Amino acid sequence: MASDHPDTTRGPLKTVDTDVLVVGAGPAGLMLACELRLGGAEVLVLDQRPGPTTESRASTLHARTMEILDSRGLLAALGTPPREPRGHFGGIALDLTLPGSHPGQWKVPQGRTEELLQDRAAELGADLRRRHQLLALTTGPDGVTADSLGPSGPLRTTARYLVGCDGEDSTVRRLIGAEFPGRDAERELLRADVSGIETPDRRFVRLTDGLAISATREGVTRVMVHEFGERAGRRSGAPEFAEVAGAWQRVTGEDIGHGTPLWVNAFGDANRQLAQYRHGRVLFAGDAAHQQMPSGGQALNLGVQDSFNLGWKLAAEVRGDAPEGLLDSYHTERHAVGAAVLANIRAQTLMLLGGAEVEPARTLLAELTALDSVRTHLAGMISGLGIRYATSAGESGQAPAPGEGHPLLGRRLPPAPLHDCAHGRTTAELLRSGRGLLLDLGAGTGTAAGAWADRVVRVTARAVPGTPLTPGEALLVRPDGHVVWAGVPDTAADPTAGPHTALRRWFGEPAAHHPHRQAVTAAAR
């Protein structure tokens, strides 16, 4: 498939070849670049912007994203960002505290997240080229050719795979004609960062005529406003500050028109998701794969977690040791997660932006969230800690019933301290190589994963009492931290009782069966 041809009048056409071309250097694209390099793939990232965002966009990292950054050794660079244990569901206060190393939500500006991941991607050897606009792409059975225009003129990139991480208005999605079903925005929130005004802090305050939100930090007040019954129209750009100030005055009775707007935008409740996250050699992650209202900061976190799931799988495909179906499992796993998140955001939008007609439902929801089982379920959904992937064919991916399967199967390896471990003091530290992990807590796995030593590291340790880890067991963990086998191997009596089936399912054939597989680069290891 092809599109418009590049403008070759701005200099000679340059060419470059890479394993994976990532389009978009937002949090999802940069996280993907890091994971691909860690897995040994050559990566080129193209982005139209001159650098990390300077706009006041997403500012919330949820618990699972913080755990992901910890598992790659990236948290120290963030310092100690502010933590807020309380979030919301449709504007109704919700305690997000769940067992883990980083409960609640953490306030990190999107620009800082992008800087962090950009620095790490560069350290790992990713090639990042900014001010490049994608113009055309052609896909084939063996790869992708992409034409772009940058500061030095036209660039033609050939790659084995291309991943669109270029946002909700994705050029990649448009160029290949990917089906993006869903609905357009029906309601919207107007938003502005303003200096020189004084308003009381408001957290999802529902007034007679609309919703008002405001908070002042370091002299800058962020206001958000929605007038009940107002429908979202098509916009060609950001609203004027006068529109925000007018809506604010009608809803609150306060005049903020004298303030100095630093940033103004509007976001609607459009709700769309790609029918397929993979189109042959082209894949999608982040907002390019799903469009949703950024309620509670879920959009950025969903995108980062998409890339964390995809990166190691695509790297294995590039190296040549991926088992059959591994790359397709990205769509299977993340499309289901995305659909669940879009559904909860749709429900939240109704609760948040609906008028008097939603008050009975809001009252009932407030009563239900006081029940710990309901609070835990919703907090697990928003934080990402409730995700469970299917670990074998035929599984639904939902939590097993009591007594059916190990409680950690399909879930992320819980953060926990370890005793007598030469590879680290916590489970997060054991994942920093980007390889799989066979964690032996006294099960005696011996050389069970020896033939996969290039992809799976075996670690012995003692479980600390009171943690979710059980002494005497062993856990096989994917590079993205999800447990795919758990138990006590008895390979002497039954070779299939050990982790070998799961090793083949997730890591491919042993190294001896891949005499021609590509070596993982020293820089990525």
Side-chain angles (χ1 to χ4, degrees):
M1 286 169 281
S3 182
D4 303 329
H5 294 292
D7 178 2
T8 58
T9 64
R10 295 184 54 182
L13 177 66
K14 297 181 180 179
T15 60
V16 64
D17 182 69
T18 189
D19 289 329
V20 182
L21 172 60
V22 177
V23 180
L30 292 170
M31 172 56 77
L32 181 61
C34 292
E35 290 302 292
L36 288 167
R37 287 299 300 138
L38 201 60
E42 294 297 323
V43 184
L44 172 63
V45 184
L46 300 180
D47 192 89
Q48 294 190 63
R49 300 173 301 162
T53 184
T54 57
E55 296 180 344
S56 301
R57 292 189 176 273
S59 61
T60 299
L61 298 182
H62 286 299
R64 179 58 187 148
T65 301
M66 292 291 284
E67 291 181 3
I68 285 171
L69 297 178
D70 191 17
S71 73
R72 295 299 187 254
L74 295 173
L75 282 187
L78 283 183
T80 54
R83 172 183 171 267
E84 173 57 64
R86 185 181 61 167
H88 74 93
F89 191 91
I92 296 171
L94 181 70
D95 183 359
L96 295 176
T97 304
L98 293 173
S101 56
H102 297 86
Q105 55 185 4
W106 303 75
K107 295 303 177 182
V108 180
Q110 180 172 328
R112 181 68 191 100
T113 301
E114 291 184 12
E115 289 174 357
L116 175 76
L117 295 174
Q118 175 182 275
D119 291 347
R120 179 56 172 161
E123 179 185 330
L124 290 169
D127 184 355
L128 173 58
R129 304 194 187 191
R130 293 195 174 273
R131 296 187 176 93
H132 276 73
Q133 179 185 5
L134 179 67
L135 300 175
L137 63 88
T138 304
T139 63
D142 300 318
V144 178
T145 299
D147 290 319
S148 60
L149 187 62
S152 300
L155 176 71
R156 177 162 292 164
T157 304
T158 56
R160 296 174 64 185
Y161 291 92
L162 181 149
V163 185
C165 299
D166 51 342
E168 61 183 33
D169 296 321
S170 170
T171 299
V172 176
R173 196 177 62 225
R174 175 177 58 81
L175 289 177
I176 71 167
E179 185 182 356
F180 197 44
R183 63 171 189 80
D184 292 331
E186 298 175 354
R187 300 182 178 93
E188 67 178 359
L189 267 171
L190 301 177
R191 176 168 59 174
D193 287 349
V194 190
S195 65
I197 63 172
E198 292 185 6
T199 65
D201 279 2
R202 294 182 174 92
R203 183 179 175 86
F204 304 108
V205 174
R206 292 170 60 83
L207 301 169
T208 301
D209 295 319
L211 172 74
I213 305 165
S214 57
T216 301
R217 302 287 185 272
E218 299 179 352
V220 176
T221 301
R222 170 167 291 187
V223 297
M224 290 188 279
V225 61
H226 169 72
E227 294 182 80
F228 294 148
E230 283 293 307
R231 310 297 290 181
R234 291 191 176 274
R235 293 187 179 275
S236 58
E240 297 292 332
F241 177 57
E243 183 180 352
V244 181
W248 186 264
Q249 186 161 36
R250 289 189 293 274
V251 170
T252 68
E254 299 168 2
D255 181 9
I256 62 172
H258 61 281
T260 301
L262 306 177
W263 179 59
V264 181
N265 84 333
F267 57 91
D269 62 344
N271 202 272
R272 293 183 176 277
Q273 185 180 26
L274 278 175
Q276 292 291 326
Y277 282 15
R278 181 184 180 188
H279 294 251
R281 295 276 173 166
V282 178
L283 300 101
F284 294 87
D287 288 347
H290 36 74
Q291 182 182 7
Q292 61 283 305
M293 186 174 174
S295 181
Q298 290 186 86
L300 182 149
N301 291 269
L302 182 63
V304 168
Q305 292 166 33
D306 283 345
S307 295
F308 200 60
N309 181 289
L310 173 59
W312 70 275
K313 296 174 181 178
L314 186 51
E317 192 75 25
V318 167
R319 292 195 310 264
D321 54 34
E324 183 179 357
L326 180 67
L327 190 54
D328 286 331
S329 75
Y330 165 65
H331 166 82
T332 301
E333 293 179 347
R334 295 306 299 175
H335 191 277
V337 170
V341 170
L342 264 63
N344 94 55
I345 289 178
R346 181 88 169 98
Q348 290 195 61
T349 301
L350 294 173
M351 295 294 100
L352 193 62
L353 304 184
E357 73 278 3
V358 304
E359 287 302 329
R362 289 177 59 84
T363 299
L364 176 60
L365 181 60
E367 294 174 0
L368 291 174
T369 55
L371 302 175
D372 192 59
S373 59
V374 175
R375 183 200 69 82
T376 298
H377 175 76
L378 294 178
M381 182 185 302
I382 292 171
S383 67
L385 298 182
I387 293 172
R388 177 184 180 263
Y389 297 134
T391 57
S392 61
E395 279 194 82
S396 66
Q398 301 300 312
E404 295 182 9
H406 195 283
L408 292 181
L409 272 179
R411 299 191 179 279
R412 103 280 192 211
L413 178 67
L418 298 167
H419 285 327
D420 301 333
C421 181
H423 293 74
R425 296 172 297 175
T426 66
T427 51
E429 293 179 17
L430 303 186
L431 296 170
R432 290 183 180 167
S433 69
R435 289 186 286 174
L437 168 70
L438 181 59
L439 177 58
D440 189 326
L441 299 169
T445 56
T447 60
W452 288 268
D454 58 332
R455 283 155 279 168
V456 180
V457 59
R458 176 180 174 269
V459 173
T460 60
R462 283 196 302 116
V464 175
T467 70
L469 303 181
T470 302
E473 288 190 335
L475 302 171
L476 179 63
V477 186
R478 304 188 322 190
D480 63 354
H482 282 263
V483 178
V484 292
W485 175 86
V488 181
D490 184 11
T491 54
D494 180 5
T496 65
H500 296 87
T501 299
L503 282 163
R504 281 186 163 86
R505 165 70 179 87
W506 296 104
F507 299 98
E509 292 299 318
H513 293 233
H514 285 284
H516 302 299
R517 66 180 292 267
Q518 298 181 23
V520 176
T521 64
R525 285 293 184 229

